[in-house]
Amino acid sequence: MARRRSVVRRAGAGRRIPAGVVLGIVLVIGALALIIARVSNSGGSDAALQTGDDAAAVAGRVATGPARASESFFQRIGRMWNASDRIDQLERENRELQAWRDLAERLAERNARYEALLRMPPDAFGEGADVEHSIAAQLVLDSGGPFTRTLVANAGADHGVRVGFIAVNENGLVGRVVSVGHRSSRILMLDDYNSRIPVMGEASRVRAVLAGQATRPPELITHPYQIQSPRLDFIVGAQNLREGERVITSGDGGLFPRGIPVGVARRQGDGSWRVALSAAQRPIDFVRILPYMGVERPEGDPVESEGPPASSSSSVAAIGRETMAPPPRAAAPTPPPSTQTAAQTPRPRPAPPQTPAATPPSPAEPAPAAQTAPAPAEPQE
Amino acid sequence: MTSFFSAAPSRRTLRLWGLVLAVASVILPALPLGPLFAQPPMPLAVLWAAYGWAAEDESGWRAPVALALLGLLHDQLAGGPYGLFVLIYLSAYLIGRVAAVLMSAPNLLSLWGGFIATALLTVVIVTIVERVLLPIAVGPYAEAAAITALLFPFVRPLYMSGAPSAWSQGARR
């Protein structure tokens, strides 16, 4: 009897779920609830993350101090080791660069004359961004995880940083501020899986979307906006993109200012394009955070007598018209067929003061357009 | 001095080093120390801890709580969302519990196979989360999980002894 009772007890004990497993299941359910709360965009999760970023930023700065110091120390040691070789190499490069500088000065002077002839506005860095009031910050944390590619900088709302500001370093674009704490801000990097940025080739003016791939170099998707606009047939697309061409932000969409260097286009073996990021040439340590709030939404009550028709809101059509070299018939524009929509009608321009502006440039030269027209003229009715 | 180095470390010491390694694998990728410390290629050492603690700490509450805290810390340092790494680590713990019950006479190969299956199932869980809930990159996580699985035999003594109690329980059952 006693033996039977013990057997029963043992069998019952075997069926009982251990406390650790129960707790594990409960915590898994809690984790799922947290993820779902994040998906449903509850503000509490973001606020907690930003508060945690503030604390982690302080800890990260302290923790990386010795590493940074030792890194610079070993770099100095390494440079001393091969100092004479480096001097020889630098002298050689200096001689070559002097020749290149003479050539660049001549070309710059010539280019300036052409621009004066065409009355082109200067190709500004980050049009619309408040470069003078940029905020310098040091990066103290790197997400480094498999899912996201973000950085934490030690400047936050107390320093004037806001969500949407642009982070650049001395080489180019790093990313965009996506959350801000009091003393820290989190920057979504260009190679994050969720990063999509409108860019264009600096010389070819081919527009593309830069899509982050987490750990691999960002991929260029070269088909985007032109599909909807039949007037952009002059654009030949990705085949115009050149290997090694500089890629800059196009400003489309209004999230990024135009003209910030992003990287260099590289063609892959399978024909796809990727960008070697300029900002990744060396470890990113300090960043400048540029105030930029993008393009304001158009007001609900537009002025009817000014600006383009409401149906021509696609900036792509306008930009494409202005950026691409005009076809031969552009010298004597013919009225569009009546079946065209208002979006497809060309924006009228002021009469060029000089005849060379109307002549098409040589195909070998880059199209003169990346710059927007100085001011849109009154539409001809 | 010689005896200090030649003496085999106790189980407690090994477990402590295992915990240190797990915490380091959470913190080091967050520091701007270069691509070598990113994940991948750095292994997800907390997966080892989850698998090993599931085998050794059969009914305690410390392992799931420690894993949840490590997951929250990892979520915080990686930029969120909260709950993702908690889900992964606790899933690995629960899968490890099932593996501990299923294996009757474990050896190094079967333990390694069990860990590979655990890592694979966490990749499946991440894929489900990616499909259903969040736009996240599964590929880099799969790479990190694969590296973690490859390195498992080298770190196994830090997380599980030769004859863990859960294995023997599983064998009795």
Side-chain angles (χ1 to χ4, degrees), chain A residues 220 237-245 264-276:
Chain A
L220 270 182
Q239 60 266 34
N240 278 4
L241 202 60
R242 302 169 191 170
E243 171 75 19
E245 181 178 349
V264 176
R266 298 280 181 224
R267 184 191 278 276
Q268 304 299 298
D270 59 355
S272 64
W273 287 89
R274 288 181 181 270
V275 171

Side-chain angles (χ1 to χ4, degrees), chain A residues 132-152:
Chain A
E132 289 182 0
H133 294 96
S134 62
I135 301 153
Q138 186 180 15
L139 297 176
V140 289
L141 286 178
D142 177 354
S143 67
F147 299 119
T148 57
R149 298 285 295 127
T150 56
L151 298 167
V152 176

Side-chain angles (χ1 to χ4, degrees), chain A:
Chain A
M1 185 67 181
R3 183 182 294 171
R4 190 181 299 163
R5 198 179 297 145
S6 73
V7 168
V8 170
R9 195 182 299 142
R10 230 186 290 149
R15 277 191 224 107
R16 205 175 55 200
I17 302 174
V21 174
V22 175
L23 187 58
I25 292 170
V26 169
L27 289 172
V28 162
I29 293 169
L32 275 173
L34 278 173
I35 295 173
I36 292 168
R38 174 67 180 83
V39 172
S40 60
N41 282 328
S42 73
S45 171
D46 286 344
L49 197 64
Q50 287 155 9
T51 308
D53 279 348
D54 281 346
V58 175
R61 193 170 186 186
V62 173
T64 53
R68 288 174 199 272
S70 63
E71 189 181 19
S72 61
F73 173 75
F74 286 119
Q75 276 179 353
R76 276 205 302 274
I77 295 284
R79 283 174 192 160
M80 284 166 58
W81 189 259
N82 55 0
S84 63
D85 289 344
R86 278 179 55 81
I87 288 171
D88 288 344
Q89 183 191 354
L90 289 172
E91 282 178 347
R92 217 169 29 245
E93 284 180 4
N94 192 29
R95 281 194 295 274
E96 288 175 11
L97 287 175
Q98 279 177 348
W100 279 109
R101 188 185 64 180
D102 294 341
L103 179 63
E105 282 176 351
R106 283 203 304 273
L107 288 176
E109 191 183 341
R110 194 177 186 182
N111 196 33
R113 284 208 306 273
Y114 287 155
E115 287 182 357
L117 277 172
L118 295 169
R119 295 193 172 188
M120 292 170 66
D123 206 353
F125 169 89
E127 278 177 33
D130 191 359
V131 180
E132 289 182 0
H133 294 96
S134 62
I135 301 153
Q138 186 180 15
L139 297 176
V140 289
L141 286 178
D142 177 354
S143 67
F147 299 119
T148 57
R149 298 285 295 127
T150 56
L151 298 167
V152 176
N154 64 349
D158 293 351
H159 306 87
V161 180
R162 300 283 179 272
V163 171
F165 283 12
I166 311 302
V168 298
N169 71 352
E170 69 274 19
N171 296 317
L173 185 65
V174 174
R176 180 169 167 268
V177 176
V178 290
S179 76
V180 178
H182 286 289
R183 292 175 301 279
S184 68
S185 52
R186 195 170 275 276
I187 299 164
L188 186 75
M189 292 175 73
L190 298 182
D191 57 347
D192 185 88
Y193 184 68
N194 292 303
S195 174
R196 300 285 185 275
I197 294 173
V199 294
M200 65 182 183
E202 191 175 35
S204 66
R205 301 294 170 181
V206 170
R207 282 179 152 71
V209 169
L210 189 71
Q213 305 286 311
T215 56
R216 298 185 189 87
E219 190 175 3
L220 270 182
I221 302 172
T222 50
H223 53 73
Y225 311 129
Q226 294 92 340
I227 295 170
Q228 300 295 326
S229 176
R231 284 185 61 213
L232 297 176
D233 53 354
F234 193 72
I235 296 178
V236 284
Q239 60 266 34
N240 278 4
L241 202 60
R242 302 169 191 170
E243 171 75 19
E245 181 178 349
R246 266 168 45 106
V247 176
I248 59 175
T249 52
S250 69
D252 296 342
L255 278 182
F256 284 85
R258 182 192 182 100
I260 295 181
V262 173
V264 176
R266 298 280 181 224
R267 184 191 278 276
Q268 304 299 298
D270 59 355
S272 64
W273 287 89
R274 288 181 181 270
V275 171
L277 295 176
S278 301
Q281 287 173 5
R282 56 182 64 182
I284 305 169
D285 194 5
F286 287 90
V287 290
R288 271 195 308 160
I289 299 176
L290 306 180
Y292 181 72
M293 295 314 293
V295 180
E296 292 182 4
R297 287 176 178 277
E299 58 271 17
D301 185 20
V303 181
E304 291 183 3
S305 61
E306 294 180 2
S311 56
S312 69
S313 59
S314 165
S315 64
V316 178
I319 291 170
R321 181 69 182 178
E322 288 163 0
T323 53
M324 292 301 114
R329 65 176 181 275
T334 55
S338 58
T339 53
Q340 282 184 329
T341 63
Q344 292 168 324
T345 56
R347 289 171 64 180
R349 299 171 126 181
Q354 295 167 343
T355 48
T359 57
S362 161
E365 293 182 3
Q371 290 76 16
T372 53
E378 294 279 328
Q380 292 173 350
E381 294 295 339

Side-chain angles (χ1 to χ4, degrees), chain B residues 57-133:
Chain B
D57 191 34
E58 61 268 12
S59 63
W61 54 269
R62 285 176 301 180
V65 169
L67 291 171
L69 290 176
L70 282 172
L72 277 178
L73 180 64
H74 208 160
D75 283 330
Q76 171 65 51
L77 294 176
Y82 281 132
L84 187 55
F85 278 106
V86 181
L87 178 68
I88 292 169
Y89 295 153
L90 287 170
S91 303
Y93 174 77
L94 293 175
I95 296 165
R97 294 287 313 179
V98 174
V101 173
L102 291 179
M103 285 186 205
S104 56
N107 54 34
L108 180 58
L109 272 182
S110 63
L111 288 177
W112 195 5
F115 184 78
I116 289 171
T118 303
L120 198 63
L121 284 172
T122 62
V123 174
V124 171
I125 289 168
V126 168
T127 308
I128 292 170
V129 170
E130 188 261 338
R131 293 281 163 82
V132 179
L133 292 173

